[in-house]
Amino acid sequence: MFNTTHRTNFRLAFIAIASAIALVSLFFTNKLVSQLANEERNKVAVWAEATRLAASADYQSDLTLVMRVLESNTTIPVVIVDGNDNYITSRNITEPSKNLNEFRHSYIASFKKKHPPIEISISPTIRQYIYYDDSILIKELAYFPYIQLGVIALFILLSFLAFAGTKRAEQNQVWVGLSKETAHQLGTPISSLMAWAELLKGRYPQDTLLPEMENDIMRLKTIAERFSKIGSKTELIPIPLNDALGDAIAYMRKRISSKVSIEVVNTTKDNSEVSLNLPLFEWVIENLCKNAIDAMDGSGSITITMSEQAKYYVIDVRDTGKGMTKSMYKMVFHPGFTTKKRGWGLGLSLAKRIVEEYHEGRIFVKQSEVGKGTTFRILLRKFN
């Protein structure tokens, strides 16, 4: 649980830092855009004054400087209109050959919404107005931080995916290696126990405890077989669902407290078959039952309901335990997550791996309420 919480806090801190960087970047970029916009308005004002001087000058005036000012504007789109918004002239605007009047009315209306006009007083009775748009530079600069943030976000996402993929591959290697080694280490003592059991049967054929000892030895053999299958190609065979559940539940009933009851409700057809690896599937059911027993503190009821949908068989495992909040629905399947003082927190993680990776099904928390219990749901594809 600590590791999961630590990872969650790290992710939240990372997102907070990235958001702060994004906000700072947006702030300074917007500030720069605002400063450039003010400079462009000053340039348009100077251009407007030059336009006024050119329009009001007589033939003897030297307009060399004025013309330089007018020609210097090569980036800012401007349009000059009269008091009734009738078009007079424009600069840095590419006009179409068709529907010219409609086009002019359109961009004049657009310019009016963006910036207040600059008035040109040609004479006491003649006034013109200049409307202008932002230059391409300002427009690109305004969009730049969003493009930059998008690139950064994409880079972070790809980094997370690559890191998660690498980490998952490492976890899989550790998981498989640990499972194989566990199976290997169990093999030798199990073989010895089987030999000792056969020896004891020969010496004490009437002993009633020896059959139970043999059952437990075979159980150890089954557990070793389960571990050996982790990471290997899993062979699935069609098995009646009721039989598969029955074997796992029968084993659990013999080894749980009398204060815990297990009830099975089957609404499927009697011959319902599903592709399973029986030892691994039984492991899933046992882990869910053990998890339920721990959640009930050794006293309560477990109800296992089998039903079917169009493409899936549905197995619901409901207990009367402590329950959980919705925030824990996904966390309970994370390796190492546990609310118990003892335990590795691998049971549900292992169950999820077996159901989803080896059987191509789904397992999730269907419903849970604190103080009332939890229902886990397994979906298994129907056997065709």
Side-chain angles (χ1 to χ4, degrees):
M1 185 172 182
F2 172 76
N3 291 335
T4 304
T5 304
H6 182 71
R7 287 197 297 268
T8 302
N9 292 337
F10 174 77
R11 290 172 183 171
L12 292 175
F14 184 85
I15 292 172
I17 293 173
S19 300
I21 293 173
L23 291 175
V24 171
S25 176
L26 286 174
F27 172 77
F28 282 105
T29 303
N30 289 334
K31 184 178 180 180
L32 180 59
V33 169
S34 178
Q35 291 174 349
L36 290 176
N38 290 333
E39 289 186 10
E40 285 199 350
R41 183 169 180 83
N42 293 333
K43 290 180 180 179
V44 174
V46 172
W47 191 84
E49 179 62 19
T51 302
R52 185 191 68 78
L53 291 174
S56 59
D58 56 32
Y59 68 94
Q60 294 179 343
S61 301
D62 184 3
L63 299 178
T64 303
L65 180 60
V66 172
M67 295 307 297
R68 286 183 180 177
V69 173
L70 293 175
E71 292 174 358
S72 66
N73 178 21
T74 59
T75 58
I76 306 173
V78 294
V79 59
I80 301 177
V81 299
D82 61 17
N84 296 319
D85 286 344
N86 294 316
Y87 175 87
I88 297 176
T89 187
S90 63
R91 186 174 180 83
N92 300 324
I93 298 175
T94 303
E95 296 183 334
S97 57
K98 297 180 180 179
N99 301 322
L100 183 58
N101 289 332
E102 293 181 7
F103 179 77
R104 285 173 175 173
H105 286 307
S106 175
Y107 72 72
I108 289 172
S110 175
F111 288 7
K112 289 177 68 175
K113 293 179 181 178
K114 292 184 177 180
H115 302 288
I118 297 176
E119 183 180 305
I120 304 175
S121 180
I122 305 299
S123 69
T125 58
I126 301 176
R127 283 179 170 77
Q128 297 176 353
Y129 299 90
I130 294 181
Y131 292 99
Y132 68 99
D133 193 8
D134 295 326
S135 65
I136 295 177
L137 176 62
I138 286 186
K139 289 180 178 179
E140 291 179 347
L141 190 59
Y143 287 117
F144 175 75
Y146 299 100
I147 297 174
Q148 183 184 34
L149 291 176
V151 172
I152 293 174
L154 180 61
F155 176 77
I156 292 174
L157 176 62
L158 293 176
S159 299
F160 265 121
L161 292 176
F163 176 76
T166 303
K167 186 176 181 181
R168 191 177 300 111
E170 291 177 353
Q171 288 177 343
N172 287 339
Q173 290 178 355
V174 172
W175 187 281
V176 171
L178 180 62
S179 300
K180 298 289 187 184
E181 182 63 20
T182 301
H184 177 72
Q185 293 294 334
L186 286 174
T188 301
I190 289 174
S191 298
S192 298
L193 287 172
M194 293 176 68
W196 283 113
E198 288 296 325
L199 179 62
L200 290 173
K201 281 174 62 178
R203 292 187 177 183
Y204 308 101
Q206 304 301 323
D207 195 317
T208 57
L209 295 178
L210 286 177
E212 289 300 321
M213 182 185 295
E214 283 188 312
N215 289 338
D216 285 334
I217 293 173
M218 294 305 298
R219 186 65 186 175
L220 286 173
K221 185 178 179 181
T222 300
I223 292 172
E225 181 184 356
R226 289 172 177 175
F227 277 110
S228 68
K229 291 181 182 295
I230 299 297
S232 303
K233 185 176 180 180
T234 305
E235 181 181 356
L236 305 179
I237 59 175
I239 298 175
L241 182 60
N242 192 47
D243 293 347
L245 278 171
D247 292 341
I249 295 167
Y251 173 79
M252 291 300 302
R253 279 177 172 157
K254 292 180 180 179
R255 288 159 177 81
I256 60 176
S257 167
S258 59
K259 296 179 180 179
V260 176
S261 64
I262 300 179
E263 180 185 0
V264 179
V265 179
N266 185 7
T267 63
T268 64
K269 299 175 183 177
D270 292 338
N271 59 347
S272 300
E273 289 188 338
V274 63
S275 295
L276 294 175
N277 181 287
L278 187 58
L280 292 181
F281 178 72
E282 289 179 347
W283 204 358
V284 171
I285 300 302
E286 289 172 18
N287 277 332
L288 289 177
C289 289
K290 290 176 182 177
N291 186 75
I293 293 169
D294 290 337
M296 297 185 299
D297 292 330
S299 176
S301 63
I302 300 172
T303 304
I304 301 176
T305 305
M306 292 180 285
S307 59
E308 57 184 300
Q309 299 176 352
K311 297 182 179 180
Y312 296 95
Y313 287 115
V314 182
I315 303 171
D316 288 334
V317 180
R318 179 171 59 86
D319 62 58
T320 57
K322 300 174 183 177
M324 68 183 79
T325 60
K326 287 188 176 181
S327 62
M328 297 173 63
Y329 280 18
K330 293 183 178 180
M331 294 175 64
V332 294
F333 294 104
H334 291 175
F337 179 87
T338 180
T339 57
K340 296 179 290 185
K341 293 181 179 179
R342 295 182 179 180
W344 293 92
L346 295 177
L348 291 178
S349 175
L350 179 63
K352 185 176 181 66
R353 181 181 292 265
I354 292 172
V355 171
E356 298 188 355
E357 293 188 15
Y358 297 148
H359 291 84
E360 297 182 355
R362 286 187 62 204
I363 182 171
F364 54 93
V365 179
K366 177 191 174 186
Q367 187 272 336
S368 185
E369 188 173 350
V370 177
K372 292 189 177 181
T374 301
T375 301
F376 285 90
R377 169 162 287 188
I378 300 173
L379 298 178
L380 295 173
R381 294 183 182 275
K382 289 186 174 180
F383 174 70
N384 295 322

